Amino acid sequence: LRAYRSRGHAKLSLKDYNGAVTDFSYVIKLCPQYSLPYYDRGTVKYKLSDYKAAIVDFTKAIKLNPNYEFSYDWRGSSKFELKDYKGAIVDYNCAISINPNEASYYYQRGKIKLWCGYFSEALSDFDKSLKLDSISYNTYNYRAHAKYLMKNYKEAIKDYSIAICTDSESSILFYNRGMAKYFSTDCKNAISDFDHSIKIDPKYVLAYSYRASSKVETKDYNGALSDFDMAISLDSLNTRNYYEKGKLEYLLNGHSQAIKDFDKAINIDSQNEEIYNWRACAKYSMADYENAIVDYTKAIKLSPKVGAYYYSRGLAKFQAKQIESANIDFKKATKFGYVIPKEVVNFISLQKKN
């Protein structure tokens, strides 16, 4: 038995997974009440991405030896791959109850909780993991991400910085820290992190995209347009880049180019009301009121309770001499909480009298 099990482990280390399964299966055939070969075969099936079969083996191993923590660990990972997140958490709870001093169990459970949106619980697990193993850069990275998702950007930056000290060649870590700085309005330093990320990975689309957004905030508009163009050249199906570039073009009075960018964004994502709204604004600025009305109407259809859309459509209708219909829109805008500026109200009233 030992010889077959040892050969199975040797084949596993050589990535001869099918051969390893054969050897572990033979051990099981000879001694079906021995728990470890089920565990061994389960790990191989996990590496073969046969997670359902792996769970069957780990479950059998647990039935034969319910105090073997590693079976719970691997079964939890298998359940995670199959999106059985609650089941995975239960398994890591069991592993922790057997061995509460293993940092990786808290780390793995924290990742699952983070994935499920239990940010504060995930943060607690990462804290516990780091108390047991304070040099795991992966745990600092995930703890930073939990803090980031909880909008605690300053603390997230600290953890990302620790992770970067351990792995200074990770484009993702620099990108993540850059994002935390971007959302904490430290756009100048965010640009520096995006620079590092792009230097490591020159094809990192999101790094270009958010470096562009950071440059918009620092009023480097030409640099921002260049970065958006680079992001688009690397990924022509990313809605955000066309949308954000279109907004910048609009703010720079390049209304015609802005409309082209919004057109491309809508071709990719036709259910985003904000893009229709911005395209309508660009058309309105070009005095194309009829087509602006069409786009405002599409935005309203997608989000019928946004008062600003009714107000903007009302202005377009007013300019198109659709006075009665414009007034209906203004009333709806007020109904949905939009406060119409007094000067606009006074102007409309004056036009009615005339």
Side-chain angles (χ1 to χ4, degrees):
L1 293 178
R2 287 184 180 178
Y4 280 105
R5 188 166 177 244
S6 295
R7 190 172 69 177
H9 284 140
K11 289 178 179 178
L12 176 59
S13 66
L14 293 171
K15 297 184 179 180
D16 177 10
Y17 298 134
N18 291 326
V21 168
T22 299
D23 280 343
F24 293 138
S25 296
Y26 187 73
V27 176
I28 289 168
K29 183 178 179 181
L30 294 177
C31 190
Q33 298 305 309
Y34 184 29
S35 66
L36 286 177
Y38 290 102
Y39 165 78
D40 294 332
R41 191 172 68 178
T43 61
V44 182
K45 289 179 178 177
Y46 178 91
K47 291 181 181 296
L48 288 168
S49 300
D50 189 358
Y51 303 117
K52 289 183 179 179
I55 289 170
V56 171
D57 276 343
F58 294 133
T59 301
K60 183 65 175 179
I62 289 167
K63 185 176 180 180
L64 293 170
N65 182 4
N67 294 314
Y68 193 60
E69 63 194 79
F70 303 110
S71 295
Y72 293 102
D73 178 17
W74 281 84
R75 190 173 71 172
S77 293
S78 301
K79 288 179 179 179
F80 176 78
E81 295 295 337
L82 294 174
K83 300 182 180 181
D84 177 11
Y85 304 127
K86 290 184 178 179
I89 289 171
V90 169
D91 275 343
Y92 278 109
N93 290 344
C94 291
I96 289 168
S97 69
I98 297 168
N99 183 3
N101 295 314
E102 175 53 50
S104 67
Y105 299 159
Y106 295 101
Y107 166 69
Q108 295 291 351
R109 189 175 68 177
K111 287 204 308 182
I112 299 166
K113 289 179 178 178
L114 187 65
W115 187 264
C116 292
Y118 308 143
F119 303 142
S120 60
E121 292 183 27
L123 184 59
S124 176
D125 274 344
F126 296 137
D127 286 341
K128 291 174 183 175
S129 180
L130 287 169
K131 283 182 179 179
L132 295 166
D133 179 8
S134 61
I135 61 172
S136 172
Y137 92 88
N138 279 329
T139 310
Y140 282 109
N141 180 34
Y142 274 96
R143 187 173 72 171
H145 200 52
K147 292 174 179 178
Y148 172 88
L149 292 171
M150 295 171 74
K151 299 184 179 180
N152 187 355
Y153 302 123
K154 289 184 179 180
E155 290 300 315
I157 290 167
K158 290 179 183 178
D159 276 347
Y160 284 133
S161 297
I162 294 171
I164 286 170
C165 286
T166 310
D167 184 4
S168 60
E169 293 301 312
S170 171
S171 60
I172 295 174
L173 286 176
F174 280 106
Y175 168 76
N176 286 343
R177 190 174 68 176
M179 290 297 292
K181 290 177 179 178
Y182 172 75
F183 283 110
S184 62
T185 67
D186 183 9
C187 292
K188 183 178 179 181
N189 285 312
I191 289 169
S192 177
D193 275 343
F194 295 135
D195 288 344
H196 277 92
S197 181
I198 290 166
K199 185 178 180 180
I200 297 166
D201 181 0
K203 294 185 178 181
Y204 202 153
V205 177
L206 287 174
Y208 285 105
S209 182
Y210 279 95
R211 187 173 71 175
S213 294
S214 299
K215 288 179 178 179
V216 171
E217 296 299 322
T218 58
K219 298 184 179 180
D220 177 10
Y221 300 130
N222 289 331
L225 289 172
S226 177
D227 274 347
F228 280 132
D229 284 337
M230 179 60 76
I232 288 167
S233 70
L234 292 170
D235 182 3
S236 61
L237 297 178
N238 188 310
T239 307
R240 180 185 192 276
N241 295 319
Y242 292 110
Y243 173 48
E244 294 295 333
K245 181 173 178 259
K247 284 165 61 178
L248 178 57
E249 294 278 11
Y250 171 80
L251 294 172
L252 295 174
N253 294 318
H255 301 134
S256 179
Q257 182 59 47
I259 289 170
K260 291 178 182 178
D261 285 328
F262 294 137
D263 287 344
K264 291 174 182 177
I266 288 169
N267 284 338
I268 300 167
D269 181 5
S270 62
Q271 299 302 305
N272 189 322
E273 74 278 2
E274 291 184 2
I275 306 176
Y276 287 109
N277 177 55
W278 276 88
R279 189 172 71 174
C281 291
K283 290 176 179 178
Y284 181 95
S285 297
M286 297 178 71
D288 184 3
Y289 303 122
E290 294 294 342
N291 283 313
I293 291 167
V294 171
D295 274 346
Y296 284 130
T297 300
K298 289 178 180 177
I300 288 168
K301 186 177 180 181
L302 290 167
S303 287
K305 294 184 179 181
V306 178
Y309 296 163
Y310 290 100
Y311 169 69
S312 297
R313 188 175 69 175
L315 289 178
K317 287 179 178 179
F318 192 83
Q319 294 290 352
K321 308 302 181 184
Q322 301 174 25
I323 307 301
E324 187 175 340
S325 182
N327 287 328
I328 292 172
D329 273 347
F330 293 140
K331 289 178 181 178
K332 287 183 178 178
T334 304
K335 176 184 175 183
F336 291 115
Y338 188 84
V339 180
I340 299 176
K342 287 185 178 180
E343 58 270 24
V344 175
V345 174
N346 293 335
F347 178 77
I348 293 170
S349 299
L350 182 63
Q351 293 300 310
K352 284 181 182 179
K353 291 179 181 178
N354 294 335

